[in-house]
Amino acid sequence: MTKKFEKGLVHVIREQLLQGNILTIDGIGTFEVEHQKQMAVRQESGKTILMPPRDVVKFTREESVS
């Protein structure tokens, strides 16, 4: 793959995910955005820290068929 192709592919994946689309690439897998809710994490000191909600990219590898 050339650098120009790689940059173009990353751009397309990013744009599709920003639009809320699920992107499937045959032979590779599926990319999608997953929303994680706010959560509380208890520290060893006994303090509770609130972690803000966030969106993360989830990748599911395509199973190879042999």
Side-chain angles (χ1 to χ4, degrees):
M1 277 194 255
T2 66
K3 290 286 184 189
K4 188 174 181 179
F5 176 79
E6 290 174 11
K7 286 182 181 182
L9 180 61
V10 169
H11 177 75
V12 168
I13 292 171
R14 182 177 187 275
E15 289 300 313
Q16 290 299 310
L17 294 176
L18 285 173
Q19 291 178 20
N21 297 327
I22 296 173
L23 182 66
T24 301
I25 301 174
D26 290 337
I28 296 175
T30 302
F31 296 88
E32 63 184 301
V33 175
E34 183 176 272
H35 182 74
Q36 294 181 342
K37 296 181 179 180
Q38 181 177 9
M39 60 184 223
V41 177
R42 182 167 290 261
Q43 298 266 320
E44 294 174 2
S45 63
K47 293 182 180 180
T48 301
I49 298 175
L50 291 178
M51 303 298 288
R54 64 186 186 149
D55 292 332
V56 296
V57 175
K58 178 181 167 187
F59 174 73
T60 306
R61 179 173 68 108
E62 186 176 281
E63 295 295 324
S64 61
V65 179
S66 298

